[in-house]
Amino acid sequence: MRLQKYMAHCGVGSRRKCEELIKQGRVYINGKQVTTMGVNVNVENDEVSLDRTQLLKLAEEKIYILLYKPKGTITSVSDPHGRKTVLEHMGWKGSRIYPVGRLDYDTEGVLILSNDGEFTYEMTHPKYEVEKEYYCVVEGSPGLVAIRQLRQGVEINGFVTSPAKVTLIEQQKKHSILRIVIHEGKNRQVRRMFEAVGHPVVYLRREKFGNLSLKGMQVGEWRKLADKEVKGLKLLSGGRE
Ligand code: URA
């Protein structure tokens, strides 16, 4: 953000007045005097002072969104292959937000988007153990051995998954339906876990992220999270409010 705009946001005065103060040499960024126009401020990290008094940092509004991600969208902010991103799907024109963790192109379900870096870290780092629940349709009919393996942990590319909660919902010869709860987020983890036990996934939907579900939402819809929903998620990761 331009320095004079930032100063005006901090309540110093109009942008013109702020420009005057800059020209008079009364403004410093991180202790360095600024006397020319066109200088930008990093609102998160820079310290701006006027007459040696630090201006109060302007806090960026924190945004938390829940999207019922549809199939055929990617969770990156841009795609070199021209595939549709979740932000394009939403028609998002607001300030920068990022997906909190990822879902595959073909996976549907709960996706949170936010500009809160600390929150993103806490929701996705396995050490905070925030649970993610998936509804899976898999090939074939997983037996007790396969289910036990998934529950205990399976090896995928040299990484052994943490114990998972697995429930068999429907078992048929050709396809079966299961629910699996994990707290890790390795790339394509659920698909790779089922592949490892010989039952590739044919349909995958994330039904829950912590205490957040898709209740009342249609595929493709999104909404802002209520404060109490954000607080609930933060509590899951260890209590920061
Ligand atoms: N596990 C997967 O395999 N894919 C996802 O999108 C999420 C978890």
Side-chain angles (χ1 to χ4, degrees):
M1 186 187 290
R2 290 270 186 226
L3 177 58
Q4 60 271 38
K5 183 173 173 190
Y6 177 78
M7 291 170 66
H9 273 262
C10 291
V12 174
S14 68
R15 282 194 208 177
R16 276 194 65 169
K17 180 174 169 208
C18 296
E19 283 170 9
E20 277 308 307
L21 294 167
I22 295 168
K23 279 183 205 152
Q24 289 164 11
R26 293 167 63 185
V27 180
Y28 291 72
I29 300 180
N30 302 326
K32 222 171 137 205
Q33 191 182 41
V34 179
T35 51
T36 52
M37 295 305 123
V39 175
N40 279 313
V41 178
N42 177 332
V43 297
E44 291 285 334
N45 302 321
D46 286 341
E47 286 182 355
V48 178
S49 51
L50 168 66
D51 294 336
R52 304 276 172 199
T53 304
Q54 194 183 326
L55 302 185
L56 283 181
K57 269 217 180 93
L58 189 63
E60 198 184 5
E61 187 207 356
K62 297 281 193 270
I63 302 169
Y64 306 91
I65 284 171
L66 167 59
L67 166 68
Y68 187 158
K69 179 192 174 296
K71 271 185 182 180
T73 53
I74 57 158
T75 48
S76 317
V77 174
S78 64
D79 182 41
H81 306 295
R83 288 172 300 177
K84 194 181 215 176
T85 68
V86 285
L87 293 173
E88 283 163 357
H89 162 79
M90 292 163 65
W92 181 255
K93 297 275 182 291
S95 49
R96 270 167 194 255
I97 50 172
Y98 303 91
V100 175
R102 57 192 157 206
L103 283 183
D104 304 332
Y105 186 70
D106 284 330
T107 303
E108 299 183 339
V110 177
L111 182 71
I112 304 174
L113 297 111
S114 178
N115 58 354
D116 183 342
E118 198 177 346
F119 171 82
T120 299
Y121 179 74
E122 290 177 5
M123 291 302 112
T124 53
H125 197 290
K127 80 174 174 192
Y128 293 104
E129 303 203 350
V130 177
E131 291 188 333
K132 289 101 190 173
E133 181 178 312
Y134 296 87
Y135 173 96
C136 326
V137 180
V138 304
E139 280 181 15
S141 186
L144 282 180
V145 174
I147 291 176
R148 195 181 312 128
Q149 274 180 306
L150 292 166
R151 286 189 178 140
Q152 289 175 345
V154 293
E155 194 184 318
I156 47 176
N157 288 3
F159 164 83
V160 179
T161 59
S162 294
K165 295 177 194 161
V166 184
T167 318
L168 185 61
I169 302 174
E170 198 180 305
Q171 194 171 30
Q172 284 182 10
K173 227 171 164 188
K174 230 173 154 199
H175 290 126
S176 300
I177 303 175
L178 299 99
R179 223 175 269 287
I180 184 165
V181 181
I182 59 172
H183 63 260
E184 295 156 327
K186 291 270 180 233
N187 194 21
R188 299 175 68 80
Q189 180 161 337
V190 173
R191 291 176 195 274
R192 286 157 74 199
M193 286 173 77
F194 278 101
E195 260 160 39
V197 298
H199 296 279
V201 167
V202 294
Y203 172 80
L204 188 60
R205 180 171 71 230
R206 180 151 69 194
E207 300 240 281
K208 278 182 147 186
F209 191 117
N211 50 358
L212 267 193
S213 75
L214 298 164
K215 205 168 157 215
M217 294 180 80
Q218 300 291 321
V219 62
E221 280 182 358
W222 61 274
R223 65 174 177 85
K224 286 203 169 166
L225 291 181
D227 286 350
K228 70 170 195 260
E229 291 177 309
V230 177
K231 270 189 195 156
L233 285 168
K234 288 179 180 172
L235 284 172
L236 288 178
S237 70
R240 181 179 71 98
E241 283 202 30

